[in-house]
Amino acid sequence: MGTPREGAPLAERVEELLAVGGPLPIVAAGDPVLRRPAEPFDGQLEPALLARFVEALRLTMHAAPGVGLAAPQVGVGLGIAVIEDPAPVPDEVRVARGRVPQPFRVLVNPSYEPVGAGRAAFFEGCLSVPGWQAVVARHAEVRLLALDEHGRTVDEVFTGWPARIVQHETDHLGGTLYLDRAESRSLSSNAAMADLWSQPTPERAASALGFELPGPAV
């Protein structure tokens, strides 16, 4: 099944997607919907349809599995993303990456701004770029501004891996893929990741593949 019909009203396109049932098909890199800024949400979906769409995003994220999913990734250019991370990782990974559990959240029209000058670089993947990962240097701490699915204001500071998830999903809504920010020499298949670069941090990959990691904040 392809993406919803180009040019159809958003509500109609969402209804078409949901009519099939089950997890939604995830759009892969190369589809223009991933490269266009999403339309800010301003009531295009009635509350009941919005709730159904959010639940479908959640189901699709879980089934993939992933820790975040933006509406353009299912072919809907609307400013909505969902995140959730149970963080089932070893302690050494949790400490190195600052990966702690995050509850399910809906982010409507999110934006972020850096808090401080710190940056952290780790391998990162994307459900819309299956089979590959690359090192991305991102802000270590960000302030997220958004609404939730009920229209309530979200104003929260995220650090560590949750900050990375927030940046990744918000970038999707601006037409940016993680590859745009990645160290190109770090691009690795999932098989290479499993065989060579499964360490909690990418220092060995940087040395072997020939790319630089960000220095300490000053």
Side-chain angles (χ1 to χ4, degrees), residues 186-206:
S186 72
L187 186 64
S188 302
S189 68
N190 284 350
M193 283 294 304
D195 291 342
L196 301 171
W197 313 128
S198 60
Q199 303 85 19
T201 62
E203 275 78 7
R204 282 180 57 187

Side-chain angles (χ1 to χ4, degrees), residues 8-19:
L10 278 170
E12 181 180 330
R13 292 161 64 189
V14 171
E15 287 281 14
E16 288 180 2
L17 274 177
L18 299 182

